[in-house]
């Protein structure tokens, strides 16, 4: 039975600063919410730090967690209100139906596979040098680095995730009003000829941190997407919610969350 958790983080505490600064450290703290050896529980998680004074960590897990260690070391153990909420995820999955619309949020690691990267890293160059002549080289995972490329990646994959992005409900500007800036136009014209769609990138980051004994570095790019989606295939969509989207899931990418649309 899956569970969705939300943990309030106190950003002024020493341990909180370590967690907020490193996806690797936060991953370890998330894994500490489950019994058994590290990695026994496969989780999806996301750090939402839009409000730097009230960051939250969301975690989707198969079994029910215990967040006492996080609340005591990085939260508000004595404060009023819900310090760590844990909710059964099954009722949401049972309510899903084709055609339903939800507000959504996703932090993902947009990448593509290519056998000919534009810029080879030293490790990629070594791998290519070891490929026998005439043999087919395996593709390399390459990050999408621009906002437009990341948006195109997201919109180009929604069908396989069981949903589509709803059309924008914003009316065209009245005559005489200023044209939108280039940044706004880039985000609106996500599919030529299809009209504006309800999706935007609210945050973009490049992460780089040491892992293990410090000799290995992990580097990846993340983008946070928000908007409005419409379910097209309930089975596919449910699987997407539970399995996550894209790589770097251990480091806070892949968790798609949905919420009822606000009444206007």
């Amino acid at each position: 039975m899956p569970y969705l958790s939300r943990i309030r983080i106190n950003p002024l505490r020493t341990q909180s600063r370590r967690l907020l600064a490193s996806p690797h450290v936060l991953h370890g703290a998330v894994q500490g919410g489950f019994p058994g050896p590290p990695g026994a529980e496969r989780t999806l998680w996301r750090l939402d730090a839009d409000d730097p004074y009230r960051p939250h960590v969301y975690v989707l897990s198969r079994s029910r967690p215990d967040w006492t260690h996080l609340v005591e070391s990085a939260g508000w153990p004595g404060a009023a209100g819900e310090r760590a909420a844990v909710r059964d995820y099954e009722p949401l999955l049972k309510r899903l139906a084709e055609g339903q619309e939800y507000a959504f949020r996703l932090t993902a690691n947009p990448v593509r596979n290519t056998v000919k990267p534009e810029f080879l890293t030293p490790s990629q160059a070594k791998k290519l040098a070891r490929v026998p002549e005439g043999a087919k080289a395996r593709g390399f995972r390459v990050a999408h680095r621009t906002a437009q490329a990341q948006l195109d990646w997201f919109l180009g994959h929604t069908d396989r995730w069981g949903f589509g992005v709803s059309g924008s409900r914003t009316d065209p500007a009245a005559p005489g009003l200023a044209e939108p800036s280039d940044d706004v136009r880039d985000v609106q014209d996500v599919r030529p000829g299809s009209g504006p769609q309800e999706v935007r990138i609210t945050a973009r980051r490049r992460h780089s941190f040491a892992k293990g004994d410090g000799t290995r570095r992990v580097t990846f790019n993340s983008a946070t997407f928000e908007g409005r989606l419409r379910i097209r295939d309930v089975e596919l969509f449910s699987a997407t919610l539970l399995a996550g989207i894209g790589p770097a899931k251990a480091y806070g990418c892949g968790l798609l969350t949905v919420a009822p649309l606000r009444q206007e």
Side-chain angles (χ1 to χ4, degrees):
M1 181 181 295
Y3 294 89
L4 182 66
S5 304
R6 185 181 68 173
I7 307 107
R8 295 167 58 192
I9 302 296
N10 182 345
L12 299 180
R13 304 186 67 176
T14 301
Q15 178 63 10
S16 300
R17 290 195 290 269
R18 292 185 64 239
L19 296 176
L20 297 174
S22 172
H24 180 51
V25 176
L26 187 48
H27 168 69
V30 168
Q31 289 298 304
F34 305 90
E41 176 79 23
R42 295 183 64 111
T43 61
L44 295 170
W45 65 270
R46 186 182 73 229
L47 171 65
D48 284 358
D50 314 64
D51 183 347
Y53 300 103
R54 299 181 67 86
H56 290 83
V57 177
Y58 289 84
V59 183
L60 183 63
S61 59
R62 292 194 305 262
S63 56
R64 188 178 182 88
D66 179 359
W67 301 118
T68 303
H69 68 295
L70 257 180
V71 172
E72 291 182 347
S73 65
W76 278 279
E82 217 164 30
R83 296 175 287 277
V86 180
R87 298 287 185 267
D88 183 358
Y89 205 55
E90 197 67 33
L92 169 67
L93 297 176
K94 290 180 177 179
R95 287 198 304 269
L96 299 178
E98 184 178 337
Q100 286 178 340
E101 288 190 314
Y102 289 94
F104 74 87
R105 185 166 201 174
L106 165 72
T107 294
N109 172 215
V111 297
R112 62 187 176 91
N113 289 319
T114 177
V115 295
K116 293 182 179 180
E118 187 176 354
F119 301 103
L120 286 172
T121 66
S123 62
Q124 289 171 344
K126 288 180 181 178
K127 288 181 181 179
L128 281 179
R130 291 196 296 264
V131 177
E133 187 176 351
K136 185 177 181 181
R138 294 183 60 184
F140 296 103
R141 185 178 285 174
V142 178
H144 290 296
R145 292 184 173 86
T146 68
Q148 190 62 55
Q150 291 169 345
L151 205 56
D152 289 342
W153 168 85
F154 175 79
L155 290 166
H157 288 78
T158 55
D159 284 345
R160 72 177 65 176
W161 298 329
F163 66 88
V165 176
S166 305
S168 175
R169 294 173 292 179
T170 303
D171 294 331
L177 292 182
E179 288 291 323
S181 67
D182 289 340
D183 289 342
V184 173
R185 187 180 296 109
D186 286 345
V187 173
Q188 287 183 334
D189 297 340
V190 288
R191 277 185 182 173
S194 65
Q197 290 172 272
E198 286 280 354
V199 59
R200 63 189 181 279
I201 294 177
T202 59
R204 300 172 63 236
R205 288 192 62 187
R206 182 179 184 273
H207 307 264
S208 184
F209 51 87
K211 184 179 178 182
D213 59 3
T215 59
R216 179 191 169 198
R217 290 202 70 80
V218 176
T219 301
F220 66 95
N221 294 281
S222 69
T224 299
F225 304 87
E226 289 185 6
R228 187 163 55 96
L229 61 77
R230 181 186 294 270
I231 300 175
R232 290 179 175 171
D233 185 311
V234 174
E235 186 175 345
L236 263 180
F237 186 66
S238 297
T240 296
L241 291 176
L242 294 173
I245 290 174
K249 294 184 178 72
Y251 302 124
C253 293
L255 175 60
L256 172 69
T257 54
V258 296
L261 293 171
R262 294 179 179 178
Q263 297 296 322
E264 298 182 346

